[in-house]
Amino acid sequence: MSYSPTILVLDSGLGGLTVLREIVNALPAARYIYVADDAFFPYGRLSEEDIIARVVPLVGELIGAHAPDIVVIACNTMSVSVLGPLRAAYPAPFVGTVPAIKPACAASKTKRVSVLGTRATVQREYTQALIRNHAQACTVTLVGAARLASLAEDALSGKLVSDADILSEITPCFVPAGEGGGLRTDAVVLACTHYPLLLDRLLRLAPWPVSWIDPAPAIARRVVDLLGLLGPLAPNTAGDHDRPPEMIFTSGRSRTLADALAPFFGGRVPA
Ligand code: DGL
């Protein structure tokens, strides 16, 4: 018997929608619950201890209320801080979003890669370990952006965000040739799920062309693979769930998930 899974996706705000859209593309028949912990946004300023203290009980409540088949932590800051404690606390399968250092280093020809994340993400031991284990012969520059996730939220909600503000956050990613004896940066890891929301601006404002590495398609493949291990997945036609998709803001805001996703699907409401 095939099944149509319930998938819980969690971020600090709306950045996780950039991961969710890839999962919806792969599994349109699933039931989705998207949770934005916007009462605590931005996570980038929080300590590891604060994130663990906030997220472990929150996820416990969400698992209790929604019985998801899988939990996707669609936030780098959360993932590098709390994935271990979450896996230790709950038996549900978890998929995290962590800086895509390995694919970026594999793709880089100049062997100079930057990781653009929140301040918290670039400071975490989890991220440092990814560099130690997967940077291969690359020189990696860590760039902690204090405001870029908030600028992405602003842009998504239709507020004016200046080029100068975005540029000042991304400029440290661009290490020119000769600095430290190397070639110039040619790959930048989007190590925050909010940043793909600004991709058109990043492409336009970059001092020179680089590959912007977004792990979201790989995360969607991982979700499909793990759910497939639980049983045969229902065909990708419209969902047969008796409960509708949900969007939950911990601040109490209200919006439908179809409405939030529509801009990612050319204005159409996904099935
Ligand atoms: N979307 C989150 C991430 O991937 C970060 C945004 C925040 O600072 O809350 O890291």
Side-chain angles (χ1 to χ4, degrees):
M1 252 291 271
S2 66
Y3 79 112
S4 184
T6 295
I7 301 175
L8 175 68
V9 179
L10 181 67
D11 180 37
S12 57
L14 298 178
L17 294 173
T18 65
V19 176
L20 179 59
R21 72 175 154 191
E22 299 296 334
I23 306 173
V24 171
N25 266 327
L27 294 171
R31 173 172 185 252
Y32 292 96
I33 297 141
Y34 185 91
V35 181
D37 187 16
D38 60 337
F40 273 62
F41 181 86
Y43 267 51
R45 69 195 152 83
L46 299 178
S47 70
E48 184 156 296
E49 295 69 30
D50 286 347
I51 292 176
I52 292 170
R54 169 69 182 169
V55 174
V56 172
L58 175 64
V59 168
E61 279 169 37
L62 292 165
I63 290 174
H66 302 282
D69 296 289
I70 197 162
V71 181
V72 180
I73 304 296
C75 173
N76 289 259
T77 311
M78 236 183 249
S79 297
V80 299
S81 306
V82 76
L83 259 183
L86 283 174
R87 289 190 169 123
Y90 309 112
F94 284 92
V95 175
T97 308
V98 301
I101 288 162
K102 192 175 179 179
C105 289
S108 171
K109 292 196 168 44
T110 63
K111 297 294 159 209
R112 172 111 41 190
V113 166
S114 291
V115 176
L116 180 63
T118 65
R119 287 196 165 160
T121 292
V122 302
Q123 282 163 7
R124 292 290 184 268
E125 165 54 24
Y126 195 115
T127 305
Q128 311 283 342
L130 286 174
I131 294 172
R132 283 198 301 278
N133 297 332
H134 299 297
Q136 302 147 42
C138 278
T139 303
V140 177
T141 303
L142 286 167
V143 178
R147 294 178 55 224
L148 200 53
S150 299
L151 294 175
E153 290 267 335
D154 287 350
L156 192 64
S157 67
K159 288 191 196 137
L160 205 65
V161 174
S162 76
D163 284 354
D165 280 349
I166 296 177
L167 199 53
S168 76
E169 297 283 291
I170 69 170
T171 296
C173 293
F174 292 83
V175 181
E179 219 170 275
L183 300 171
R184 74 184 188 183
T185 307
D186 70 350
V188 178
V189 179
L190 294 168
C192 170
T193 54
H194 279 75
Y195 303 165
L197 296 171
L198 295 171
L199 188 59
D200 56 338
R201 311 277 301 267
L202 302 179
L203 288 165
R204 182 164 60 74
L205 293 171
W208 59 80
V210 294
S211 303
W212 298 94
I213 311 289
D214 179 3
I219 291 161
R221 288 194 292 277
R222 179 81 184 135
V223 169
V224 172
D225 287 351
L226 283 178
L227 287 171
L229 295 176
L230 301 177
L233 290 164
N236 281 338
T237 49
D240 57 359
H241 288 277
D242 44 12
R243 292 200 294 163
E246 275 183 62
M247 184 159 204
I248 298 165
F249 292 92
T250 56
S251 66
R253 261 175 78 190
S254 115
R255 193 174 182 193
T256 68
L257 188 52
D259 174 48
L261 276 174
F264 296 95
F265 290 87
R268 272 183 310 111
V269 175

